[in-house]
Amino acid sequence: MFATMVSPEILKIMEENPASFKLAGEQREATIFSSDVSGFTNISEGVTARELANILNIYLTPMSNIIMSYDGYVDKYEGDAIKADFGVPLSEPGHSWKACFFALYQQEELTVIQRMILLKYGVKITARMGINTGIVSAGNMGSEKRNAVYRHGRSRDPCRRA
């Protein structure tokens, strides 16, 4: 279930410790990442359905790979939006810094992706990104077949030094 959402290293740890993942929420600090393509509705109105699917794949594939390379967990896609978690499903020190570094790397990769999409489809994409660290209730909630992370309580910006 997790093979397409986490890095191979994290998946191996999860496979070696299946009892750690039960149908319940566990409170812990985690970092949540969210992004979407700016002006996506306008973009979708100017291309065919097939072109839109190709544009999304060109964008979502490398962005997801970068998330996983920083031990992030792709929680879900909502059309052009990516929701990802750092520090869950496995607790990891430094998750907030990994999320910040990952977002910077994503911005660099986006410049390459922008050129590819502009040349092939005549559309310029940009992305908005947000990062938030706080206490979450993480686990397999709502269904034995679907993981979800719910954020609540106070949070802080991990990219800003105190």
Side-chain angles (χ1 to χ4, degrees):
M1 179 170 96
F2 289 100
T4 60
M5 299 179 280
V6 298
S7 68
E9 295 81 15
I10 298 294
L11 182 59
K12 184 175 184 334
I13 293 168
M14 293 172 71
E15 288 173 340
E16 291 171 353
N17 301 288
S20 299
F21 305 96
K22 54 188 177 248
L23 187 61
E26 179 183 341
Q27 291 207 355
R28 69 168 71 151
E29 184 179 84
T31 299
I32 310 302
F33 169 84
S34 182
S35 72
D36 71 338
V37 173
S38 304
F40 183 72
T41 300
N42 290 337
I43 292 168
S44 69
E45 292 170 349
V47 297
T48 67
R50 181 174 292 244
E51 289 172 332
L52 185 61
N54 290 340
I55 289 168
L56 281 174
N57 288 335
I58 291 169
Y59 170 72
L60 294 173
T61 298
M63 295 299 128
S64 301
N65 290 342
I66 295 169
I67 290 168
M68 290 185 280
S69 74
Y70 279 81
D71 298 327
Y73 162 66
V74 177
D75 187 27
K76 64 183 147 214
Y77 301 105
E78 293 176 359
D80 61 305
I82 302 171
K83 307 295 183 187
D85 312 320
F86 293 80
V88 293
L90 299 174
S91 186
E92 180 178 358
H95 56 80
S96 58
W97 290 107
K98 281 187 173 188
C100 290
F101 289 132
F102 137 78
L104 292 171
Y105 183 26
Q106 240 191 6
Q107 288 292 322
E108 288 177 20
E109 185 67 18
L110 184 57
T111 62
V112 175
I113 293 167
Q114 284 172 329
R115 281 186 239 128
M116 289 172 43
I117 292 173
L118 184 60
L119 289 172
K120 188 163 184 174
Y121 299 100
V123 174
K124 181 172 182 185
I125 67 164
T126 58
R128 299 177 288 212
M129 299 179 184
I131 299 171
N132 199 10
T133 297
I135 302 300
V136 301
S137 181
N140 193 4
M141 293 175 270
S143 168
E144 292 178 359
K145 298 182 186 229
R146 179 74 182 122
N147 277 7
V149 174
Y150 299 96
R151 181 171 49 119
H152 63 86
R154 294 186 54 170
S155 62
R156 61 184 168 77
D157 181 349
C159 297
R160 188 176 64 211
R161 292 192 173 178

